[in-house]
Amino acid sequence: MRLCELREKEVINICDGERLGNVCDIDFEVKTGRICALIIPGPCKIFGILGRDHEYIIPYCDVQRIGTDVILVEVDAEKCLHKCNWGE
């Protein structure tokens, strides 16, 4: 599967049925090419006008199923929500 195919799939947390969003990036090991985590943009700030400053980093081991249009994950969303470190 290619990254462009992953980006089209919606990520849903099976713990609470919450839609987390779509995959925007992946974290992988350079030496092996193994996927370590899926990165999903976090919730919008005030009315979606000011963009986002958090992202969900979901360890690949928490991915339960990858279907034709969704990726099912089992995570505590609050623990996966991290401050973006763009520009650092």
Side-chain angles (χ1 to χ4, degrees):
M1 179 173 294
R2 305 172 89 184
L3 177 58
C4 62
E5 293 172 322
L6 278 178
R7 294 182 77 168
E8 296 172 358
K9 299 180 188 298
E10 188 169 22
V11 179
I12 297 178
N13 188 359
I14 61 174
C15 292
D16 57 6
E18 180 182 7
R19 294 177 177 169
L20 300 177
N22 290 53
V23 175
C24 70
D25 205 354
I26 58 172
D27 181 25
F28 66 95
E29 289 181 4
V30 176
K31 289 183 180 181
T32 63
R34 188 177 140 265
I35 296 175
C36 299
L38 302 177
I39 302 172
I40 301 148
C44 293
K45 291 194 280 186
I46 305 170
F47 301 115
I49 298 171
L50 300 175
R52 296 179 162 106
D53 62 352
H54 285 81
E55 60 192 4
Y56 293 105
I57 300 177
I58 308 218
Y60 195 72
C61 62
D62 291 333
V63 173
Q64 299 300 311
R65 291 269 191 266
I66 298 178
T68 54
D69 26 338
V70 297
I71 299 172
L72 300 177
V73 298
E74 187 172 4
V75 295
D76 180 354
E78 293 299 318
K79 290 183 181 178
C80 293
L81 193 61
H82 299 277
K83 180 96 169 139
C84 295
N85 57 1
W86 300 324
E88 292 181 8

